[in-house]
Protein backbone atom coordinates (compact mmCIF):
# COMPACT_ATOMS: atom_id res chain seq x y z
CA UNK A 1 0.00 0.00 0.00
CA UNK A 2 1.49 3.33 -1.00
CA UNK A 3 1.68 6.37 1.30
CA UNK A 4 -0.46 8.35 -1.12
CA UNK A 5 -3.27 5.80 -0.77
CA UNK A 6 -3.23 6.21 3.01
CA UNK A 7 -3.13 9.99 2.73
CA UNK A 8 -6.05 9.91 0.31
CA UNK A 9 -8.09 7.87 2.77
CA UNK A 10 -7.17 10.22 5.64
CA UNK A 11 -7.94 13.46 3.82
CA UNK A 12 -11.41 12.31 2.71
CA UNK A 13 -12.44 11.36 6.24
CA UNK A 14 -10.78 14.41 7.79
CA UNK A 15 -12.56 16.81 5.44
CA UNK A 16 -15.92 15.13 6.01
CA UNK A 17 -15.54 15.30 9.79
CA UNK A 18 -14.42 18.93 9.66
CA UNK A 19 -17.25 19.96 7.36
CA UNK A 20 -19.81 18.21 9.57
CA UNK A 21 -18.57 20.32 12.51
CA UNK A 22 -19.23 23.61 10.69
CA UNK A 23 -22.54 22.78 9.02
CA UNK A 24 -25.25 25.35 9.70
CA UNK A 25 -28.10 22.81 9.64
CA UNK A 26 -27.55 19.21 10.72
CA UNK A 27 -30.80 18.17 9.04
CA UNK A 28 -29.37 19.16 5.66
CA UNK A 29 -25.93 17.58 6.18
CA UNK A 30 -26.10 15.46 3.03
CA UNK A 31 -26.96 18.41 0.84
CA UNK A 32 -24.25 20.58 2.39
CA UNK A 33 -21.58 17.88 2.06
CA UNK A 34 -22.63 17.41 -1.56
CA UNK A 35 -22.30 21.13 -2.25
CA UNK A 36 -18.88 21.13 -0.61
CA UNK A 37 -17.69 18.30 -2.82
CA UNK A 38 -19.23 19.93 -5.87
CA UNK A 39 -17.17 23.04 -5.17
CA UNK A 40 -14.01 20.98 -4.78
CA UNK A 41 -14.60 18.89 -7.88
CA UNK A 42 -15.59 21.84 -10.07
CA UNK A 43 -12.39 23.62 -9.08
CA UNK A 44 -10.30 20.59 -9.97
CA UNK A 45 -12.15 20.21 -13.26
CA UNK A 46 -12.07 23.84 -14.36
CA UNK A 47 -8.49 24.67 -13.25
CA UNK A 48 -6.73 22.71 -16.03
CA UNK A 49 -9.00 24.27 -18.62
CA UNK A 50 -8.29 27.79 -17.34
CA UNK A 51 -4.56 27.02 -17.17
CA UNK A 52 -4.61 25.76 -20.75
CA UNK A 53 -6.37 28.89 -21.94
CA UNK A 54 -3.88 31.11 -20.08
CA UNK A 55 -0.93 29.22 -21.61
CA UNK A 56 -2.46 29.45 -25.08
CA UNK A 57 -3.10 33.18 -24.74
CA UNK A 58 0.43 33.80 -23.45
CA UNK A 59 2.04 32.02 -26.43
CA UNK A 60 3.12 28.95 -24.47
CA UNK A 61 4.51 30.70 -21.40
CA UNK A 62 3.65 29.16 -18.04
CA UNK A 63 4.47 32.19 -15.87
CA UNK A 64 1.07 33.81 -16.37
CA UNK A 65 -0.57 30.66 -14.94
CA UNK A 66 0.97 31.56 -11.55
CA UNK A 67 -0.35 35.11 -11.84
CA UNK A 68 -3.84 33.84 -12.66
CA UNK A 69 -3.66 31.36 -9.76
CA UNK A 70 -2.59 34.13 -7.37
CA UNK A 71 -5.50 36.32 -8.45
CA UNK A 72 -7.95 33.46 -7.97
CA UNK A 73 -6.55 32.67 -4.51
CA UNK A 74 -6.93 36.32 -3.50
CA UNK A 75 -10.53 36.32 -4.73
CA UNK A 76 -11.16 33.17 -2.69
CA UNK A 77 -9.61 34.75 0.40
CA UNK A 78 -11.90 37.76 0.08
CA UNK A 79 -14.91 35.48 -0.44
CA UNK A 80 -14.46 33.82 2.96
CA UNK A 81 -14.19 37.07 4.92
CA UNK A 82 -17.95 37.11 5.69
CA UNK A 83 -17.60 33.79 7.55
CA UNK A 84 -17.59 34.90 11.17
CA UNK A 85 -16.87 31.81 13.23
CA UNK A 86 -17.36 28.11 13.70
CA UNK A 87 -19.94 27.04 16.27
Amino acid sequence: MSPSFGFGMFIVVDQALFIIEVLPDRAAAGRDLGLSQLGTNLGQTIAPIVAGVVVAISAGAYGPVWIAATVLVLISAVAIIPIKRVR
Side-chain angles (χ1 to χ4, degrees), residues 47-69 72:
I49 297 167
V50 172
V53 169
V54 170
V55 169
I57 290 172
S58 63
Y62 284 88
V65 172
W66 294 106
I67 296 168
L72 291 172

Side-chain angles (χ1 to χ4, degrees), residues 14-40:
D14 182 59
Q15 285 180 346
L17 290 174
F18 173 73
I19 291 169
I20 287 172
E21 287 297 316
V22 298
L23 291 177
D25 181 14
R26 296 237 181 221
R31 181 201 65 199
D32 293 340
L33 285 170
L35 286 173
S36 170
Q37 286 306 306
L38 179 65
T40 299

